[in-house]
Amino acid sequence: MDLQAEKLSIVQTIVTTKDAGLISDVKAFLANRKADWFEELGEEQQKDVLEGLAEADRGETLPHAEVVKLFGKWGLK
């Protein structure tokens, strides 16, 4: 899907409509839509999150107590 083309198509539909109900529906949808924190991240940040999830799925994690010990070495608790 070409996101830019989709957005332009939606904008064109909204701009050319004579249907007040459509405008009301779009306004209500946008007002009630909750932002997805993932979508607000930059591309590199999204990549890092997805990489971390993949690592967790492969079982590549550390127990909390071990992480606390590791960070404790740097004075972080």
Side-chain angles (χ1 to χ4, degrees), residues 1-68:
M1 167 174 61
D2 181 359
L3 186 58
Q4 288 301 96
E6 290 292 325
K7 290 193 288 187
L8 287 172
S9 175
I10 292 168
V11 168
Q12 184 177 16
T13 300
I14 292 170
V15 168
T16 59
T17 190
K18 292 180 171 44
D19 183 353
L22 174 63
I23 300 302
S24 294
D25 290 346
V26 170
K27 283 177 67 176
F29 172 79
L30 294 174
N32 293 320
R33 187 170 191 276
K34 294 183 175 127
D36 183 345
W37 64 269
F38 185 79
E39 291 177 6
E40 294 178 354
L41 297 176
E43 186 176 328
E44 199 63 32
Q45 292 170 314
Q46 287 182 356
K47 180 182 163 192
D48 291 341
V49 169
L50 293 173
E51 182 180 332
L53 290 172
E55 289 172 357
D57 287 343
R58 293 190 301 265
E60 300 171 3
T61 60
L62 295 173
H64 181 262
E66 195 172 327
V67 173
V68 170

